[in-house]
Amino acid sequence: MGVFTYETEFTSVIPPPRLFKAFILDADNLIPKLAPQAVKGIEILEGDGGVGTIKKVTFGEGSQLGFVKHIIDGIDKDNFVYSYTLIEGDGLLSDKIEKVAYETKLVASSDGGSIVKSTSHYHAKDDVEIKEEQVKAGKEMASGLFKLVEGYLLANPDAYN
């Protein structure tokens, strides 16, 4: 089994505590409200929202995916780190990919905003090779959702303080 690692880094004008609250801790509520065409809903299947919780994300019409399930591996509210692993899903976890482990870390930038560091580990089945272009669509969707949350926070300066 091979592992393909994909790293991204981008910046935001929103400080880490506020961005973490909105984009990570309240994503289940906020993202379906901001982008119902992309994400129909996020529900907890098992657990209390902390480490070990299993969630199901149901995507909107026209998405390449219908749903994914993931398990929360870690939440560090003090250091703004969130990690989870995709464990099931149509169209993504297939005969080629066993699981995908993600970690997102928010770091304060010198201008008062955030540096968002994201690492994804795609665990391939057998000797399957995963190429960067195969994961770009998912990264573009995540980036689009992030920009929606950032726009919401800019338009609503009292939210998530």
Side-chain angles (χ1 to χ4, degrees):
M1 170 176 63
V3 178
F4 173 79
T5 299
Y6 186 78
E7 295 179 344
T8 56
E9 186 174 300
F10 48 95
T11 60
S12 172
V13 297
I14 308 296
R18 191 166 174 234
L19 192 58
F20 195 78
K21 283 180 194 172
F23 190 60
I24 303 295
L25 300 180
D26 198 40
D28 297 5
N29 298 309
L30 186 59
I31 290 177
K33 288 178 188 170
L34 297 178
Q37 73 285 1
V39 178
K40 280 187 181 178
I42 303 171
E43 61 183 303
I44 292 177
L45 300 178
E46 186 179 310
D48 61 4
V51 173
T53 295
I54 297 174
K55 294 184 179 185
K56 180 180 179 182
V57 179
T58 304
F59 296 99
E61 302 291 323
S63 174
Q64 292 178 335
L65 303 173
F67 77 95
V68 294
K69 290 182 185 175
H70 70 259
I71 186 166
I72 298 173
D73 299 318
I75 303 173
D76 184 340
K77 295 176 186 176
D78 296 327
N79 294 302
F80 313 114
V81 180
Y82 179 70
S83 57
Y84 64 98
T85 301
L86 289 184
I87 55 173
E88 186 179 334
D90 61 347
L92 174 68
L93 301 176
S94 60
D95 57 339
K96 295 180 181 179
I97 299 175
E98 179 183 326
K99 64 182 179 179
V100 185
Y102 296 96
E103 181 181 86
T104 301
K105 182 174 186 174
L106 308 179
V107 179
S109 61
S110 60
D111 64 1
S114 300
I115 300 168
V116 181
K117 299 178 180 188
S118 179
T119 304
S120 308
H121 301 285
Y122 290 77
H123 295 258
K125 290 182 179 176
D126 301 319
D127 292 331
V128 173
E129 183 180 349
I130 300 169
K131 295 181 171 55
E132 187 171 339
E133 55 268 12
Q134 293 172 301
V135 300
K136 272 194 172 172
K139 289 298 172 188
E140 287 172 6
M141 180 182 177
S143 176
L145 292 173
F146 173 79
K147 291 297 180 191
L148 283 174
V149 170
E150 183 181 48
Y152 173 82
L153 293 173
L154 288 170
N156 297 278
D158 294 330
Y160 297 98
N161 283 316

